[in-house]
Amino acid sequence: MTTPFESLAGLDRLVHEPARMAILTALAACKSADFLFLQNLTGLTKGNLSTHLTRLEEGKLIEVVKEIVGKKMVTRIVLTEPGRAAINQHWQRLQELRDQAEQWQAEEPPPDETA
């Protein structure tokens, strides 16, 4: 039987990486977000945000839409249905693991040999 702590290692790393988790969680709360909004929200650099968005797009969790608004190019990011399911399932799994960890009882620890 695995402990809730061992189960943490089995989380989806594409979703669980902190910056990507922040991006997906933010996108789950809105229809779409532009690049600058996500950059300001997450505190990531342009290059770092771009790299994470590429990974999420390759995983089909987001869609990146570039459009011209007025005379300006705007990059808009949309959470896909698989992306919405992934972030919702991820948060649910984290809550389950947290609940299990709170209920977990360790076996008697070995005596402290330094005492």
Side-chain angles (χ1 to χ4, degrees):
M1 182 167 111
T2 62
T3 69
F5 312 104
E6 293 169 306
S7 298
L8 285 169
L11 292 172
D12 182 345
R13 292 186 188 272
L14 178 61
V15 175
H16 190 66
E17 195 287 327
R20 292 192 291 265
M21 195 167 148
I23 293 165
L24 292 171
T25 300
L27 290 171
C30 57
K31 277 182 121 173
S32 68
D34 71 23
F35 187 92
L36 292 176
F37 174 79
L38 285 176
Q39 184 183 8
N40 289 331
L41 186 67
T42 61
L44 297 169
T45 65
K46 286 181 182 180
N48 203 337
L49 178 57
S50 181
T51 299
H52 286 298
L53 292 176
T54 297
R55 293 283 310 271
L56 292 169
E57 187 176 33
E58 288 170 350
K60 309 249 186 274
L61 300 182
I62 64 165
E63 181 180 350
V64 177
V65 179
K66 296 185 183 259
E67 56 192 7
I68 298 175
V69 177
K71 294 183 178 187
K72 196 175 189 180
M73 179 65 77
V74 176
T75 301
R76 190 169 45 87
I77 298 90
V78 180
L79 189 63
T80 63
E81 284 305 314
R84 186 170 304 281
I87 192 63
N88 288 340
Q89 288 169 1
H90 189 74
W91 278 112
Q92 181 179 355
R93 184 67 183 131
L94 285 176
Q95 184 60 52
E96 290 168 358
L97 289 172
R98 181 176 183 231
D99 292 344
Q100 291 170 11
E102 288 175 351
Q103 300 299 317
W104 181 76
Q105 296 293 316
E107 294 179 12
E108 184 70 29
D112 185 4
E113 295 181 18
T114 60

